[in-house]
Amino acid sequence: MTLLTSWPDSGPATVLRRTCDPAEIAAALKPLGVRYEQWPVREDLPHDADGERVSAAYRPQIDRLSAEEGFTTVDVLGLHPGDDPEYPVRAKAAREKFLQEHTHDDDDEVRFFVSGSGVFYLHVGAEVHAVLCERGDLLGVPRGTTHWFDMGTRPSFTAIRFFHEEDGWIGNFTGSAISSRFPDFDSLAAGHRRDGGTV
């Protein structure tokens, strides 16, 4: 179940909004220019399906969104614990790359969660909005939006990524330490589970 939590950007002591209702989440994010929608989940896909199988399973949705938004490049990114001895190193490096506040000049950041979960933190105006995305969620963060992403200390997710530019992900880091002042993925997910949500 998706979770949206909003705080003042001064810190998380005051919760301005907390909701798991998809319609409320979409309505809250729309004025920020953020696209949020849910796609039907493919139950026949294993959580760690490879990119070719994921792309084939979601081909109608991929083609529709690419036509609507003019995306030229689509890929699949997966990171799951397993038998790979390099997983701890790869997981740590991937998490650290996205965990610092940044923007994108030339592209939106559009992700569909095929499996697993992650949190996008949107720093817009004087507020921070944490969107805990799970399987079936699509989030589109417009270019220029200050944000960061946390996949947790033990990442497990597969996501379809959409790009307008062939260069893919290029971040402009702000140098701010704001991400360290807000609850991380592990804290949000644990609290969400206690409240009856799934992660």
Side-chain angles (χ1 to χ4, degrees):
M1 186 183 305
T2 315
L3 173 67
L4 169 64
T5 309
S6 302
W7 307 276
D9 66 359
S10 56
T14 301
V15 176
L16 303 174
R17 177 188 295 107
R18 181 178 166 87
T19 180
C20 295
D21 181 270
E24 289 181 15
I25 293 171
L29 295 178
K30 187 174 182 180
L32 309 179
V34 176
R35 180 180 193 141
Y36 171 74
E37 58 187 58
Q38 292 182 315
W39 291 357
V41 171
R42 292 293 304 263
E43 299 289 355
D44 55 326
L45 279 178
H47 76 281
D48 57 352
D50 64 27
E52 186 175 320
R53 189 168 174 189
V54 167
S55 296
Y58 284 96
R59 178 55 54 200
Q61 292 90 344
I62 290 170
D63 289 347
R64 174 187 60 82
L65 188 61
S66 295
E68 286 177 5
E69 300 293 336
F71 293 117
T72 59
T73 303
V74 178
D75 68 14
V76 177
L77 175 67
L79 189 57
H80 298 276
D83 297 331
D84 179 4
E86 294 298 313
Y87 168 81
V89 173
R90 292 190 310 111
K92 182 179 180 185
R95 184 181 190 219
E96 289 176 355
K97 177 179 180 181
F98 303 120
L99 197 52
Q100 300 306 309
E101 185 183 66
H102 60 275
T103 63
H104 304 290
D105 288 343
D106 299 323
D107 217 337
D108 303 336
E109 186 158 346
V110 181
R111 305 291 182 264
F112 171 71
F113 284 80
V114 176
S115 67
S117 54
V119 181
F120 280 93
Y121 297 80
L122 314 171
H123 185 190
V124 182
E127 295 182 358
V128 170
H129 310 274
V131 188
L132 174 57
C133 295
E134 299 186 321
R135 186 173 68 147
D137 289 336
L138 179 127
L139 195 74
V141 180
R143 70 191 70 194
T145 302
T146 309
H147 66 285
W148 67 94
F149 176 73
D150 189 4
M151 60 186 72
T153 53
R154 192 167 169 77
S156 181
F157 70 92
T158 297
I160 301 174
R161 308 189 302 172
F162 296 83
F163 300 100
H164 293 102
E165 304 292 333
E166 290 186 12
D167 292 339
W169 194 94
I170 300 173
N172 303 310
F173 293 92
T174 67
S176 170
I178 188 171
S179 64
S180 66
R181 300 200 306 264
F182 287 85
D184 63 9
F185 170 90
D186 295 328
S187 300
L188 285 176
H192 192 39
R193 280 192 293 266
R194 282 195 304 271
D195 294 340
T198 58
V199 176

